[in-house]
Amino acid sequence: MNLYLISKNIPMNNKNNELNERRDFIKTSAILTGGALLSSIPLAGAYASGSDTIKIALIGCGSRGTGAAFQALSTKFNLKLVAMADAFPDKLEKSHKSLLAKFGAEKISVPEDKKFTGFDGYKSAMEDADVVLLCTPPGFRPVHFAEAVKQNKQIFMEKPVATDSPGIRSVLATAEEAKRKKLNVVVGLQRHYQKNYRELIKRVHQGELGDIISGQVYWNSGGVWVNPRQPNQTEMEYQMRNWYYFNWLCGDHIVEQHVHNIDVANWVKNKYPVSAYGAGGRFLRTGKDYGEIFDNHSIEFVYDDGTVISSQCRHFTGGANRVDESFQGTKGKIFLDSSNRGKIWDHKGKVLVNYEGKNDANPYQTEHDELFAAITANQYKFADAENAAKSTMTAIMGRYASYSGDVIKWDDALNSNINLMPDRLAWDALPKILPNFDGTYPHAIPGVTKVI
Ligand SMILES: NC(=O)c1ccc[n+]([C@@H]2O[C@H](COP(=O)([O-])OP(=O)(O)OC[C@H]3O[C@@H](n4cnc5c(N)ncnc54)[C@H](O)[C@@H]3O)[C@@H](O)[C@H]2O)c1
């Protein structure tokens, strides 16, 4: 099966309706992420307030999962970690040990029979918890999110929220269900919880820059880790331990990392793009250790008003790195980055705002402070999943564009039926992407690979 093909049998929705819905949603979402109160009485998953302890479960005990548990347990509220799940026992134990060392046995109350490993442990780990932290690689997020909502849990989940279009459609459906049940959902697109982004983008939405007509977003950095293949590893274990390099698990780095900056573009524009066009490839990262992903993507995202946002992401060492966002409006321009900085100028170069939030709170902590404040007050305040799904979809649409070299339209991308997930999840099962006889993996070739 060619994983790079998108089905041609795409049901075309009424585009105008869909655009209007997208516009309406993102306005709502911007309000929600500002923390507007939606309801004070959750329908499901209500936490019994007072002196009760909030029980949390960690699903995916790697570096971010351990960090998210650390941040949850560092809030001022009365929390206890009661269950953990990871595909690998060694990862779970390492995380447990470091959390136990930091917080002690009273807060890290995870007996042996509440430590779950393998692919199915997530379900049992959720059972005893009020709040679940979903921090596996993103390929599993749609299924884990659906189970968490089914079990009426309040949720923190990491970005991105899927790696393919069927996964996005699943998350969108589950997001609706979470709203119906009034379950708080915070997603780790932490710029939405960072003061410089919140304050300066509010000014953009108030019209200080006029209409935004162009922008540039970047995640140009040196790349990530490699875990060399070990003797006796099955192909499934190899790919799971090197999840970054396989699209069913990671989505490529345009999805895994650059979603942050692409999401800022959507936030600033208050809408999602209608098409993507661009290129990418594997210049330097070409060997057997690097799976199927590209080391660079350059994409133009086009919005319905003609605005073009240029996006670059690459994983090279050497060269100039940058991770930030700039936008130009009819009255002025803005720069933002994750080091708590922001600047607004008029077109004559006069600086109108020069924001340097040296003492601003860590947004990774703010996510949890605000989520658990809402939960302890029995408030329904956060519905981040729909925007996260649509920003993740934007990044996936960028991947489709760079893999093919074609112009990719939003509706075609969203309705693709190509499912990257393996048919069966087990250590002896085969992923859909398999190595060539020389140990390298097949990958897309722009201009040759057809995605539509
Ligand atoms: N918001 C941010 O700035 C930020 C930063 C880093 C990572 N992340 C996101 O956090 C997620 C995890 O990244 P990480 O850096 O912690 O990776 P990691 O490899 O350190 O951790 C992932 C963990 O999930 C486990 N896992 C994999 N499949 C599983 C399954 N089916 N069930 C249970 N456990 C499973 C792995 O064994 C591993 O321990 C990713 O989605 C990543 O994009 C977000």
Side-chain angles (χ1 to χ4, degrees):
M1 178 188 177
N2 185 344
L3 293 175
Y4 302 117
L5 290 180
I6 294 181
S7 164
K8 278 187 179 165
N9 303 321
I10 297 151
M12 296 297 287
N13 298 332
N14 178 325
K15 285 190 180 151
N16 287 336
N17 279 349
E18 184 146 320
L19 271 178
N20 286 337
E21 276 170 26
R22 290 215 300 272
R23 253 180 240 127
D24 287 348
F25 166 69
I26 202 160
K27 282 183 196 148
T28 320
S29 167
I31 294 167
L32 293 185
T33 47
L37 182 62
L38 294 176
S39 164
S40 56
I41 307 169
L43 278 179
Y47 155 75
S49 59
S51 60
D52 287 3
T53 303
I54 304 177
K55 290 178 275 173
I56 59 171
L58 173 59
I59 318 297
C61 311
S63 55
R64 186 79 276 280
T66 307
F70 177 92
Q71 277 125 15
L73 292 160
S74 301
T75 62
K76 65 182 183 190
F77 306 103
N78 189 12
L79 266 65
K80 194 178 259 198
L81 181 67
V82 297
M84 299 172 81
D86 198 281
F88 296 109
D90 58 302
K91 298 272 192 176
L92 189 153
E93 287 306 330
K94 186 175 170 205
S95 172
H96 181 259
K97 195 173 162 196
S98 80
L99 290 168
L100 191 63
K102 172 73 191 166
F103 294 102
E106 202 175 311
K107 277 185 169 275
I108 308 301
S109 177
V110 188
E112 289 307 308
D113 65 348
K114 297 295 174 190
K115 293 176 178 172
F116 300 94
T117 56
F119 289 99
D120 296 327
Y122 68 96
K123 286 188 192 169
S124 308
M126 288 180 190
E127 277 167 12
D128 292 331
D130 304 304
V131 184
V132 296
L133 313 178
L134 307 182
C135 302
T136 66
F140 298 107
R141 202 88 70 243
V143 169
H144 292 182
F145 180 41
E147 180 65 23
V149 170
K150 187 175 158 208
Q151 291 195 28
N152 298 328
K153 306 302 175 187
Q154 313 271 356
I155 295 158
F156 169 80
M157 64 177 172
E158 264 306 342
K159 50 43 69 173
V161 297
T163 58
D164 60 14
S165 306
I168 294 291
R169 295 197 299 273
S170 163
V171 172
L172 288 171
T174 306
E176 283 307 306
E177 184 64 0
K179 279 187 211 162
R180 196 186 66 74
K181 290 183 165 185
K182 297 184 181 167
L183 297 168
N184 286 291
V185 182
V186 165
V187 174
L189 287 165
Q190 69 273 6
R191 285 160 179 74
H192 287 278
Y193 295 82
Q194 189 161 2
K195 201 170 168 196
N196 58 326
Y197 284 90
R198 282 177 163 180
E199 299 218 337
L200 271 66
I201 291 177
K202 187 158 74 177
R203 298 173 78 130
V204 175
H205 290 165
Q206 285 165 346
E208 276 189 42
L209 301 188
D211 294 332
I212 297 295
I213 52 174
S214 58
Q216 303 77 36
V217 297
Y218 303 92
W219 192 301
N220 288 342
S221 69
V224 301
W225 42 262
V226 165
N227 289 316
R229 195 184 287 275
Q230 300 298 316
N232 304 323
Q233 255 177 350
T234 63
E235 183 61 23
M236 182 63 82
E237 178 172 356
Y238 173 74
Q239 293 195 16
M240 286 283 287
R241 289 204 184 263
N242 283 280
W243 63 265
Y244 210 96
Y245 298 100
F246 297 96
N247 284 330
W248 67 277
L249 288 158
C250 167
D252 204 322
H253 63 103
I254 188 173
V255 177
E256 198 279 335
Q257 282 180 325
H258 197 31
V259 65
H260 282 297
N261 321 96
I262 290 169
D263 171 62
V264 170
N266 290 341
W267 185 11
V268 164
K269 280 299 293 175
N270 248 345
K271 56 175 81 172
Y272 303 94
V274 293
S275 68
Y277 179 60
R282 290 162 64 99
F283 289 154
L284 298 175
R285 219 167 40 184
T286 55
K288 326 185 208 200
D289 286 340
Y290 305 114
E292 62 180 322
I293 69 170
F294 280 8
D295 57 22
N296 69 95
H297 305 256
S298 296
I299 307 292
E300 290 177 358
F301 291 102
V302 181
Y303 291 72
D304 64 342
D305 59 4
T307 297
V308 178
I309 304 287
S310 307
S311 116
Q312 285 181 28
C313 60
R314 52 101 166 137
H315 279 178
F316 305 155
T317 48
N321 290 339
R322 65 183 294 184
V323 180
D324 56 51
E325 305 88 20
S326 298
F327 303 94
Q328 297 76 43
T330 48
K331 293 194 204 157
K333 48 202 175 207
I334 181 169
F335 167 87
L336 290 155
D337 79 6
S338 58
S339 313
N340 299 329
R341 291 183 301 183
K343 209 164 179 178
I344 294 179
W345 302 261
D346 68 15
H347 283 311
K348 291 190 173 139
K350 184 178 166 200
V351 177
L352 305 176
V353 178
N354 192 0
Y355 187 98
E356 284 206 41
K358 287 197 178 94
N359 299 316
D360 283 357
N362 173 354
Y364 291 95
Q365 187 58 51
T366 304
E367 289 169 339
H368 291 269
D369 290 344
E370 295 190 3
L371 172 63
F372 286 98
I375 291 169
T376 49
N378 266 345
Q379 291 174 344
Y380 173 47
K381 239 178 162 177
F382 297 102
D384 291 356
E386 185 175 346
N387 173 61
K390 291 183 175 178
S391 280
T392 302
M393 187 66 240
T394 310
I396 292 173
M397 178 167 75
R399 184 185 80 214
Y400 291 158
S402 62
Y403 278 17
S404 66
D406 287 333
V407 175
I408 305 295
K409 295 193 172 142
W410 175 276
D411 295 321
D412 297 349
L414 179 59
N415 288 311
S416 164
N417 283 324
I418 299 222
N419 178 345
L420 300 181
M421 296 303 283
D423 294 330
R424 189 167 70 89
L425 286 170
W427 296 118
D428 63 350
L430 287 180
K432 288 177 180 163
I433 176 103
L434 294 172
N436 298 317
F437 64 87
D438 65 353
T440 62
Y441 286 82
H443 58 80
I445 300 175
V448 175
T449 299
K450 282 293 172 202
V451 296
I452 287 189

